[in-house]
Amino acid sequence: MVEHQRRLGWADVEDYLSATLVQGGSSMDRVLRSIDDAGMPRIEVAPTEGKLLMLLARIQGARRVLEIGTLAGFSTIWLARGLPDDGHITTCEFLPEHAAVAKANIAAAGFADNVDIRIGAALDTLPTLVGVEPYDFVFIDADKGNNIEYLKWAVKLGRPGTVVVVDNMIWEGTILAPGKDPDAAAIRASLDFMGSSPDLDATAIQTVGTKGWDGFAIAVVR
Ligand code: DHB
Ligand code: MG
């Protein structure tokens, strides 16, 4: 192997895949700039995962999406791109200042009429959604300590066949030895929950790339 090849790693391949296959365009560039400008954490999904969400929504034939954890709207816009013109996303964001950034990004991407941002604790918002038309697709990417509660809500607000995707399920492998990291313990507990829930058929996939070693879980509501 020549010298320059040895220095290449997962992040380089990720950049190549993003440039070659994902091509998020100016809307996505705008979101990333807005995150930096607002001093928000750079914890949005990787472009490859964002596009996966779009593809999964399309494969599912989803029209109604529930997202828990909006941040700057990066994943929200990817999901919106996977929906038909009359598609709808309800997205829950704890922090009003993050929601304001997301709202501007979502409008700039052309999805203002498709996305309803609910500000506040998702556990306060979710009960208000009981009785609305069931969601076809749920994306959970918020405070990890509430993953199990969010999964229970996904089942309650979904229907048989609803697809549920949960971000950050590997957490650099710390799920196997959480130690004092409460997030690692909570993520592990939510994987155990998915594996034993009679309401969910689930698996999880490990990922490497620009965000290091992580992964996501995917499930279908029974
Ligand atoms: C981190 C990454 C995430 O995708 C997330 O949802 C929360 C935190 C992180 O790397 O810290
Ligand atoms: Mg995440």
Side-chain angles (χ1 to χ4, degrees):
M1 199 184 275
V2 296
E3 182 61 30
H4 80 273
Q5 284 176 322
R6 237 180 281 136
R7 290 201 301 272
L8 296 173
W10 298 324
D12 302 290
V13 173
E14 179 86 15
D15 288 343
Y16 158 75
L17 294 175
S18 296
T20 308
L21 298 171
V22 177
Q23 297 157 344
S26 58
S27 298
M28 295 307 179
D29 294 342
R30 181 202 149 100
V31 178
L32 300 181
R33 268 199 315 275
S34 77
I35 292 173
D36 291 338
D37 290 349
M40 293 164 66
R42 283 300 304 263
I43 54 170
E44 78 284 352
V45 297
T48 46
E49 188 183 355
K51 183 146 183 195
L52 176 66
L53 292 170
M54 182 199 99
L55 294 172
L56 288 171
R58 187 174 294 168
I59 291 164
Q60 160 73 342
R63 194 174 59 78
R64 290 176 52 76
V65 172
L66 172 64
E67 179 181 60
I68 303 174
T70 315
L71 201 64
F74 192 74
S75 50
T76 320
I77 295 169
W78 274 116
L79 284 162
R81 288 181 176 180
L83 304 185
D85 287 347
D86 68 342
H88 179 83
I89 301 179
T90 305
T91 183
C92 303
E93 173 53 46
F94 183 64
L95 292 174
E97 53 270 35
H98 290 182
V101 172
K103 192 175 161 88
N105 287 331
I106 289 161
F111 296 113
D113 294 341
N114 303 89
V115 179
D116 179 14
I117 306 179
R118 300 291 187 95
I119 299 169
L123 288 181
D124 292 334
T125 298
L126 293 166
T128 71
L129 302 175
V130 171
V132 302
E133 199 182 330
Y135 290 93
D136 309 306
F137 193 104
V138 181
F139 179 51
I140 299 171
D141 188 16
D143 49 324
K144 313 310 172 194
N146 281 320
N147 266 5
I148 290 180
E149 293 309 310
Y150 296 150
L151 283 163
K152 290 178 184 168
W153 278 108
V155 170
K156 194 174 289 192
L157 298 172
R159 53 160 172 87
T162 290
V163 171
V164 184
V165 176
V166 192
D167 194 30
N168 308 113
M169 288 304 239
I170 307 301
W171 215 237
E172 299 278 353
T174 55
I175 53 167
L176 293 191
K180 290 188 173 28
D181 181 352
D183 287 334
I187 292 164
R188 169 65 179 265
S190 63
L191 280 167
D192 293 344
F193 176 84
M194 293 180 91
S196 60
S197 168
D199 299 318
L200 295 167
D201 262 326
T203 190
I205 299 294
Q206 301 185 68
T207 56
V208 293
T210 45
K211 288 182 76 178
W213 178 23
D214 209 338
F216 59 89
I218 181 164
V220 172
V221 176
R222 286 203 181 113

